[in-house]
Every structure is written in structure tokens, then in C-alpha cells.
Amino acid sequence: MAGVSLKCGDCGALLKSVEEAQEHAELTSHSNFSESTEAVLNLVCSSCGKPCRSKTESDLHTKRTGHTDFVDKTSETAKPISLEVPKVVDDSAGAMDVDGSSSQPEEMVVPEVDKKLLEELEAMGFSAAQATRALHYSGNGSIEAAVNWVVEHENDPDIDQMPLVPANTKVEAPNPSLTPEEIKIRAQELKERARKKKEEEEKRMEREREKERIRIGKELLEAKRIEEDNERKRLLALRKAEKEEEKRAREKIRQKLEEDKAERRRKLGLPPEDPATVKPSAPAVEEKKSSLPVRPATKVEQMRECLRSLKQNHKDDDAKVKRAFQTLLTYVGNVAKNPNEEKFRKIRLNNQTFQDRVGSLTGGIEFLELCGFEKIEGGEFLFLPREKVEMVVLNSAGSELSSAINNPFFGVL
């Protein structure tokens, strides 16, 4: 007895035609097929006409649509099937199938659908393949039927593949269950629903962007606050150091005055002053290192010492020292204001003006080197590379130079 289905010996799947068996073999690489008398189920939904090939598929359809009535048409669709190779009647007549039809494969094409309905479905967000498949299998009749088909088959593995049918196949549109007015209202509802969904998505994205802008703004404010706090601490440390230096200078002047007074008394033949009547000198203020975490603290001390030694080495010519300080302040200020201009970051050492104002004074070139300048081209130039420009160091250098120019006690020690 001929079988009514083909059974895969590897996985047990029932297939209702040789073509299905070939497709199954291509997808799974299974090759062990045999004829079976067990028919493939054909359960047809009484409500929508969807065929189901298994009890599991019918249960899934019921869960999705709520349709519970199915008609068993397994016996009507079951046909004898055989794996035997059909005999060739006549070489000149061409190869024939068992049922007498030609074995020549038919041409497969994309089915024709209503272009207006297709455009409307694509405008609602469905892909071209989904819209074409939905219109074709729903009868190419209405937007509602196509949308319902997509909802019902959204989990099908081939939902995103363009359907193919034989070239001579014609699909007749079923009689619509709704009137044209109802179809128009339904389509309008679907469009409105799609529009609202798009608006909600845009609002959600706008809220996310607003949250991101607020977060970035808070981070920038916090970074600015920290920077201002560090700058305030640095300025406090500089002011404290200046006050301590003024105290040391005044103490040294007082001691110098006491020595001069004692020298005058000695020259006049007067006895030295009674130490008991002399006011005790204030204890020398010991220099304390700042405990604040100031980044350029070490360089600040070196710059101050460099300027102090420059003034002490040329204490007999205050005008020349002040001119050197002002020239150094100009160099530092030009680089701080224009860090990308190379002409402000490069100084020729043998330039006569530079030599007269800074180069010939001990400590002038050393101060520029503390600011980041380097000797290049065999010592012919002083150059500050752009990547080594540190605004904190330049600002500290400017503060030290301004203090040295305006503080009358600077460098007295």
C-alpha cells in the first residue's frame, strides 16, 4: 500500500510531499526518508480558514486569535505518495511525473498586490516583504485583513522574506467582511495608532536626551567648582608666602638698624646699650612649607628664589632689576595669552635687547627655564614647546614677578 506521507527517520517529522522532503533535507541535512501511512493533519479553522498541520499549531492559533473550532480535512487532502522513480514512457515525449504532469520546474515570481495598499502598509512601518506577504496571503483585499495576517504570523520564520508564487498563479480576492466605509474607518484607526506610537517614541527619546543634557551639565558645574576651589587654595598659599617674606624682610631691616645704631654709639665713644633696656627682638619667622595640595608649589619656590638671587646680585642697580622683572613678565604674559603663537614661545639668546634686559643678568635665563623654556639649536634659542605650556605654571610665574615688582621688601633677605 502506498504511503500518504513521508517520514524523516532522523527526526520523525511527517511531510506531505516529495518537495517538502527535499526542502527538509536541505535545511536539516537529513536524508533518511520512508513512506508512511500516517497522514499529515489538516485542521482548518472554521472562523478564518487557516490550515494547521498539527495539534500544537492549532493550539497556538487558538491562543493567538481565540478561534476554537477546527474542521479535520486530513482524509480529503491525503494522497498516495511514493519515493519510487517514475518510469519514462517515451524519451521523445519528455519526463513525466506520476500523475502525468510535466516535471519541468515552474518559474517563481513575486505576486502582484495592490500598490496603494502596499504603500499604506509601508507608511505604517511594515517592511516591503512583510506588506507584500500579508496582502498576498490575506487575499489582497484590505488593510485590516493584511494587518490581522501580520499579527497572526509575526513569529513565522519567513515573515521577512518576499513571497514567491508560480508565474501563472492568480489570487482572487475574497469578499470583504466589512463595508468600504468600515474598512476606511479601520484603516484610519490603524494610521492614527501608528502615528501615536511614533509620537510616544519621539517623546521618550526627547526625555532621554534631556536627562543626558542635565547629567552633563551637572558634571561640568562640579568640575568648574573643583577648579575654582583649587585656584582659591593656590592664591591663599601665595598670599601667605608673601606675608611671611615681608615679615622676614622687616626683621632683617630692624636687625640692620640695631647694628647701625650700635656702630654709631661705638664711634661716638658711648657705652653699648644695656641689653635689659633693649626690647627683645621678635623671633625669626621660620619658613613653613604649605600643606595645601598646590600642584606647582615646588616650582613657585624655585621661581621666587631665582628672582631673589637676581635682585641680590644686582642690588646696586634697582632700575635694571625692575626692567628685567618687567621684561620677564611680558614674555610670560605673551605666552599665556597666545599659547599657539610660536613667535611668543621662541627667544633668540644673542638678541642684543634680550641680552641687555635679561640675558646678561644672573638668574634671568634660569627663570625662563623654570617656566618651561628649553635651549635648542646648540643653545642659540630658548623655545617652549606647545605641549609643555602649562597655564598653572605661567600664572604662578606672573604672580611671582608681580610680587617682586610691587613689593618694596622683595629680595632684601
Side-chain angles (χ1 to χ4, degrees), residues 236-275:
L236 289 174
L238 290 175
R239 292 194 188 101
K240 183 178 179 182
E242 290 175 358
K243 290 180 180 179
E244 291 178 352
E245 184 175 1
E246 290 179 3
K247 287 181 181 180
R248 291 195 299 270
R250 284 195 294 268
E251 178 62 19
K252 186 168 183 180
I253 292 173
R254 191 192 63 79
Q255 292 177 0
K256 182 66 174 176
L257 292 174
E258 291 292 338
E259 292 175 358
D260 292 344
K261 184 177 180 180
E263 180 65 20
R264 287 196 300 272
R265 290 180 66 86
R266 186 184 63 78
K267 289 181 178 179
L268 294 173
L270 299 175
E273 280 187 323
D274 187 1

Short mmCIF file of all heavy atoms in Angstrom, two decimals, residues 236-275:
data_model
loop_
_atom_site.label_atom_id
_atom_site.label_comp_id
_atom_site.label_asym_id
_atom_site.label_seq_id
_atom_site.Cartn_x
_atom_site.Cartn_y
_atom_site.Cartn_z
N LEU A 236 45.58 81.55 48.14
CA LEU A 236 45.78 81.71 49.58
C LEU A 236 47.20 81.33 49.98
O LEU A 236 47.84 81.98 50.82
CB LEU A 236 44.77 80.84 50.35
CG LEU A 236 43.31 81.32 50.31
CD1 LEU A 236 42.41 80.30 50.97
CD2 LEU A 236 43.17 82.67 50.99
N ALA A 237 47.70 80.25 49.38
CA ALA A 237 49.07 79.82 49.68
C ALA A 237 50.08 80.88 49.23
O ALA A 237 51.07 81.15 49.93
CB ALA A 237 49.36 78.48 49.00
N LEU A 238 49.85 81.50 48.05
CA LEU A 238 50.76 82.53 47.57
C LEU A 238 50.74 83.76 48.49
O LEU A 238 51.79 84.33 48.80
CB LEU A 238 50.39 82.94 46.15
CG LEU A 238 50.65 81.88 45.05
CD1 LEU A 238 50.12 82.37 43.71
CD2 LEU A 238 52.14 81.59 44.95
N ARG A 239 49.55 84.18 48.92
CA ARG A 239 49.46 85.34 49.81
C ARG A 239 50.16 85.07 51.14
O ARG A 239 50.84 85.93 51.69
CB ARG A 239 47.99 85.69 50.05
CG ARG A 239 47.28 86.22 48.82
CD ARG A 239 45.95 86.87 49.20
NE ARG A 239 45.18 87.22 48.02
CZ ARG A 239 44.16 86.50 47.56
NH1 ARG A 239 43.81 85.39 48.19
NH2 ARG A 239 43.51 86.88 46.48
N LYS A 240 49.98 83.86 51.64
CA LYS A 240 50.62 83.51 52.90
C LYS A 240 52.14 83.56 52.77
O LYS A 240 52.85 84.07 53.65
CB LYS A 240 50.17 82.12 53.33
CG LYS A 240 50.72 81.68 54.68
CD LYS A 240 50.19 80.32 55.05
CE LYS A 240 50.77 79.88 56.41
NZ LYS A 240 50.29 78.52 56.78
N ALA A 241 52.65 83.04 51.66
CA ALA A 241 54.10 83.06 51.44
C ALA A 241 54.62 84.49 51.33
O ALA A 241 55.69 84.83 51.84
CB ALA A 241 54.44 82.27 50.18
N GLU A 242 53.85 85.39 50.66
CA GLU A 242 54.26 86.79 50.54
C GLU A 242 54.31 87.48 51.90
O GLU A 242 55.24 88.24 52.20
CB GLU A 242 53.31 87.53 49.61
CG GLU A 242 53.42 87.10 48.14
CD GLU A 242 52.38 87.76 47.27
OE1 GLU A 242 51.54 88.52 47.83
OE2 GLU A 242 52.39 87.52 46.05
N LYS A 243 53.32 87.22 52.75
CA LYS A 243 53.30 87.83 54.08
C LYS A 243 54.49 87.37 54.91
O LYS A 243 55.13 88.17 55.63
CB LYS A 243 52.00 87.49 54.79
CG LYS A 243 50.78 88.20 54.20
CD LYS A 243 49.52 87.81 54.95
CE LYS A 243 48.30 88.52 54.36
NZ LYS A 243 47.05 88.14 55.07
N GLU A 244 54.80 86.09 54.84
CA GLU A 244 55.94 85.58 55.59
C GLU A 244 57.24 86.22 55.09
O GLU A 244 58.14 86.53 55.89
CB GLU A 244 56.00 84.07 55.47
CG GLU A 244 54.86 83.34 56.20
CD GLU A 244 54.93 81.85 56.03
OE1 GLU A 244 55.77 81.39 55.23
OE2 GLU A 244 54.14 81.14 56.67
N GLU A 245 57.34 86.42 53.79
CA GLU A 245 58.54 87.04 53.24
C GLU A 245 58.67 88.49 53.72
O GLU A 245 59.76 88.97 54.04
CB GLU A 245 58.50 86.97 51.72
CG GLU A 245 59.78 87.50 51.07
CD GLU A 245 59.76 87.31 49.57
OE1 GLU A 245 58.77 86.79 49.05
OE2 GLU A 245 60.76 87.69 48.94
N GLU A 246 57.53 89.22 53.76
CA GLU A 246 57.56 90.60 54.25
C GLU A 246 58.00 90.65 55.72
O GLU A 246 58.76 91.54 56.13
CB GLU A 246 56.18 91.23 54.09
CG GLU A 246 55.80 91.49 52.64
CD GLU A 246 54.41 92.09 52.52
OE1 GLU A 246 53.79 92.34 53.57
OE2 GLU A 246 53.94 92.29 51.38
N LYS A 247 57.53 89.68 56.52
CA LYS A 247 57.93 89.64 57.92
C LYS A 247 59.43 89.41 58.05
O LYS A 247 60.11 90.06 58.85
CB LYS A 247 57.18 88.52 58.64
CG LYS A 247 55.71 88.83 58.88
CD LYS A 247 55.02 87.68 59.61
CE LYS A 247 53.55 87.96 59.84
NZ LYS A 247 52.87 86.85 60.54
N ARG A 248 59.97 88.53 57.27
CA ARG A 248 61.42 88.27 57.33
C ARG A 248 62.21 89.50 56.90
O ARG A 248 63.25 89.83 57.46
CB ARG A 248 61.77 87.07 56.43
CG ARG A 248 61.25 85.74 56.95
CD ARG A 248 61.92 84.57 56.21
NE ARG A 248 61.64 84.61 54.80
CZ ARG A 248 60.60 84.00 54.22
NH1 ARG A 248 59.71 83.35 54.98
NH2 ARG A 248 60.40 84.07 52.93
N ALA A 249 61.68 90.20 55.86
CA ALA A 249 62.38 91.41 55.40
C ALA A 249 62.38 92.49 56.47
O ALA A 249 63.41 93.15 56.71
CB ALA A 249 61.72 91.91 54.11
N ARG A 250 61.23 92.71 57.13
CA ARG A 250 61.16 93.73 58.18
C ARG A 250 62.08 93.38 59.35
O ARG A 250 62.74 94.25 59.93
CB ARG A 250 59.71 93.87 58.66
CG ARG A 250 58.83 94.63 57.70
CD ARG A 250 57.53 95.06 58.39
NE ARG A 250 56.73 93.92 58.74
CZ ARG A 250 55.79 93.38 57.98
NH1 ARG A 250 55.56 93.89 56.77
NH2 ARG A 250 55.08 92.35 58.40
N GLU A 251 62.14 92.09 59.70
CA GLU A 251 63.01 91.68 60.80
C GLU A 251 64.47 91.92 60.45
O GLU A 251 65.27 92.37 61.29
CB GLU A 251 62.78 90.20 61.10
CG GLU A 251 63.67 89.62 62.19
CD GLU A 251 63.45 90.30 63.53
OE1 GLU A 251 62.39 90.94 63.73
OE2 GLU A 251 64.36 90.22 64.38
N LYS A 252 64.85 91.67 59.22
CA LYS A 252 66.25 91.89 58.84
C LYS A 252 66.57 93.39 58.84
O LYS A 252 67.67 93.80 59.25
CB LYS A 252 66.49 91.30 57.45
CG LYS A 252 67.96 91.38 57.05
CD LYS A 252 68.25 90.55 55.82
CE LYS A 252 69.74 90.59 55.51
NZ LYS A 252 70.09 89.80 54.34
N ILE A 253 65.60 94.21 58.39
CA ILE A 253 65.82 95.65 58.42
C ILE A 253 65.98 96.15 59.86
O ILE A 253 66.83 96.99 60.17
CB ILE A 253 64.66 96.37 57.72
CG1 ILE A 253 64.70 96.07 56.22
CG2 ILE A 253 64.71 97.87 57.95
CD1 ILE A 253 63.50 96.58 55.46
N ARG A 254 65.13 95.62 60.75
CA ARG A 254 65.22 96.02 62.16
C ARG A 254 66.58 95.64 62.74
O ARG A 254 67.22 96.44 63.45
CB ARG A 254 64.11 95.34 62.97
CG ARG A 254 63.95 95.89 64.39
CD ARG A 254 63.06 94.99 65.20
NE ARG A 254 63.65 93.68 65.33
CZ ARG A 254 64.64 93.39 66.20
NH1 ARG A 254 65.16 94.35 66.97
NH2 ARG A 254 65.13 92.17 66.29
N GLN A 255 67.05 94.42 62.42
CA GLN A 255 68.36 93.99 62.92
C GLN A 255 69.47 94.87 62.35
O GLN A 255 70.43 95.22 63.04
CB GLN A 255 68.60 92.53 62.56
CG GLN A 255 67.68 91.56 63.30
CD GLN A 255 67.90 90.12 62.85
OE1 GLN A 255 68.72 89.86 61.99
NE2 GLN A 255 67.16 89.20 63.47
N LYS A 256 69.33 95.25 61.07
CA LYS A 256 70.33 96.11 60.46
C LYS A 256 70.36 97.48 61.14
O LYS A 256 71.44 98.06 61.40
CB LYS A 256 70.00 96.27 58.96
CG LYS A 256 71.00 97.11 58.19
CD LYS A 256 72.36 96.45 58.11
CE LYS A 256 73.29 97.24 57.20
NZ LYS A 256 74.66 96.69 57.19
N LEU A 257 69.17 98.00 61.47
CA LEU A 257 69.10 99.29 62.16
C LEU A 257 69.75 99.20 63.54
O LEU A 257 70.45 100.13 63.99
CB LEU A 257 67.65 99.74 62.30
CG LEU A 257 66.95 100.12 60.99
CD1 LEU A 257 65.48 100.42 61.24
CD2 LEU A 257 67.63 101.32 60.34
N GLU A 258 69.54 98.08 64.24
CA GLU A 258 70.15 97.89 65.55
C GLU A 258 71.66 97.86 65.42
O GLU A 258 72.40 98.44 66.24
CB GLU A 258 69.63 96.61 66.19
CG GLU A 258 68.17 96.64 66.59
CD GLU A 258 67.93 97.60 67.75
OE1 GLU A 258 68.89 97.89 68.50
OE2 GLU A 258 66.79 98.07 67.89
N GLU A 259 72.16 97.18 64.41
CA GLU A 259 73.62 97.11 64.21
C GLU A 259 74.19 98.48 63.89
O GLU A 259 75.27 98.85 64.39
CB GLU A 259 73.93 96.11 63.09
CG GLU A 259 73.60 94.67 63.46
CD GLU A 259 73.80 93.74 62.27
OE1 GLU A 259 74.16 94.25 61.19
OE2 GLU A 259 73.60 92.52 62.43
N ASP A 260 73.49 99.25 63.03
CA ASP A 260 73.96 100.59 62.70
C ASP A 260 73.97 101.50 63.94
O ASP A 260 74.89 102.31 64.15
CB ASP A 260 73.08 101.21 61.62
CG ASP A 260 73.24 100.50 60.29
OD1 ASP A 260 74.24 99.77 60.14
OD2 ASP A 260 72.36 100.65 59.41
N LYS A 261 72.94 101.36 64.75
CA LYS A 261 72.85 102.16 65.97
C LYS A 261 73.99 101.83 66.92
O LYS A 261 74.64 102.73 67.51
CB LYS A 261 71.50 101.89 66.64
CG LYS A 261 71.25 102.75 67.88
CD LYS A 261 69.87 102.46 68.43
CE LYS A 261 69.60 103.30 69.67
NZ LYS A 261 68.25 103.02 70.24
N ALA A 262 74.28 100.54 67.07
CA ALA A 262 75.40 100.14 67.94
C ALA A 262 76.72 100.64 67.40
O ALA A 262 77.62 101.06 68.15
CB ALA A 262 75.40 98.62 68.08
N GLU A 263 76.87 100.62 66.05
CA GLU A 263 78.11 101.09 65.43
C GLU A 263 78.29 102.59 65.67
O GLU A 263 79.39 103.07 65.95
CB GLU A 263 78.08 100.77 63.94
CG GLU A 263 79.33 101.20 63.18
CD GLU A 263 80.58 100.45 63.62
OE1 GLU A 263 80.44 99.34 64.23
OE2 GLU A 263 81.69 100.95 63.37
N ARG A 264 77.21 103.35 65.55
CA ARG A 264 77.30 104.79 65.80
C ARG A 264 77.67 105.08 67.27
O ARG A 264 78.46 105.98 67.57
CB ARG A 264 75.97 105.46 65.44
CG ARG A 264 75.72 105.57 63.95
CD ARG A 264 74.60 106.57 63.64
NE ARG A 264 73.34 106.19 64.27
CZ ARG A 264 72.44 105.40 63.72
NH1 ARG A 264 72.68 104.88 62.52
NH2 ARG A 264 71.33 105.11 64.35
N ARG A 265 77.11 104.35 68.20
CA ARG A 265 77.43 104.55 69.61
C ARG A 265 78.91 104.23 69.87
O ARG A 265 79.58 104.88 70.66
CB ARG A 265 76.55 103.66 70.50
CG ARG A 265 75.08 104.10 70.53
CD ARG A 265 74.28 103.17 71.41
NE ARG A 265 74.68 103.28 72.80
CZ ARG A 265 74.19 104.18 73.67
NH1 ARG A 265 73.28 105.07 73.26
NH2 ARG A 265 74.61 104.21 74.91
N ARG A 266 79.39 103.19 69.18
CA ARG A 266 80.80 102.84 69.37
C ARG A 266 81.70 103.94 68.85
O ARG A 266 82.71 104.30 69.48
CB ARG A 266 81.08 101.52 68.64
CG ARG A 266 82.50 100.97 68.91
CD ARG A 266 82.75 99.74 68.09
NE ARG A 266 82.72 100.03 66.66
CZ ARG A 266 83.73 100.61 65.99
NH1 ARG A 266 84.82 100.97 66.63
NH2 ARG A 266 83.61 100.84 64.70
N LYS A 267 81.36 104.52 67.66
CA LYS A 267 82.18 105.57 67.10
C LYS A 267 82.14 106.83 67.96
O LYS A 267 83.13 107.58 68.04
CB LYS A 267 81.71 105.90 65.69
CG LYS A 267 82.03 104.81 64.68
CD LYS A 267 81.56 105.21 63.28
CE LYS A 267 81.91 104.13 62.27
NZ LYS A 267 81.46 104.48 60.91
N LEU A 268 81.00 107.08 68.59
CA LEU A 268 80.88 108.25 69.46
C LEU A 268 81.46 108.00 70.84
O LEU A 268 81.49 108.91 71.69
CB LEU A 268 79.41 108.67 69.59
CG LEU A 268 78.74 109.17 68.31
CD1 LEU A 268 77.25 109.39 68.53
CD2 LEU A 268 79.41 110.46 67.85
N GLY A 269 81.93 106.84 71.12
CA GLY A 269 82.53 106.53 72.41
C GLY A 269 81.51 106.29 73.49
O GLY A 269 81.85 106.33 74.68
N LEU A 270 80.29 106.07 73.10
CA LEU A 270 79.25 105.80 74.08
C LEU A 270 79.25 104.32 74.43
O LEU A 270 79.59 103.46 73.61
CB LEU A 270 77.88 106.20 73.53
CG LEU A 270 77.70 107.68 73.17
CD1 LEU A 270 76.34 107.92 72.52
CD2 LEU A 270 77.86 108.55 74.42
N PRO A 271 78.89 104.05 75.67
CA PRO A 271 78.83 102.63 76.04
C PRO A 271 77.68 101.93 75.32
O PRO A 271 76.68 102.56 74.96
CB PRO A 271 78.60 102.68 77.55
CG PRO A 271 77.89 103.96 77.78
CD PRO A 271 78.49 104.93 76.78
N PRO A 272 77.81 100.66 75.12
CA PRO A 272 76.72 99.90 74.48
C PRO A 272 75.45 99.98 75.31
O PRO A 272 75.49 100.18 76.52
CB PRO A 272 77.25 98.47 74.40
CG PRO A 272 78.73 98.60 74.55
CD PRO A 272 78.98 99.81 75.42
N GLU A 273 74.35 99.86 74.64
CA GLU A 273 73.06 99.90 75.33
C GLU A 273 72.93 98.71 76.26
O GLU A 273 73.45 97.61 75.98
CB GLU A 273 71.90 99.89 74.34
CG GLU A 273 71.60 101.25 73.72
CD GLU A 273 70.34 101.21 72.89
OE1 GLU A 273 70.10 100.19 72.22
OE2 GLU A 273 69.61 102.20 72.90
N ASP A 274 72.26 98.97 77.39
CA ASP A 274 72.00 97.89 78.33
C ASP A 274 71.04 96.90 77.68
O ASP A 274 69.94 97.27 77.27
CB ASP A 274 71.39 98.45 79.61
CG ASP A 274 71.25 97.39 80.69
OD1 ASP A 274 71.65 96.24 80.41
OD2 ASP A 274 70.72 97.71 81.76
N PRO A 275 71.43 95.66 77.58
CA PRO A 275 70.53 94.67 76.94
C PRO A 275 69.18 94.60 77.64
O PRO A 275 68.19 94.22 77.01
CB PRO A 275 71.29 93.36 77.08
CG PRO A 275 72.71 93.76 77.20
CD PRO A 275 72.71 95.07 77.96
#
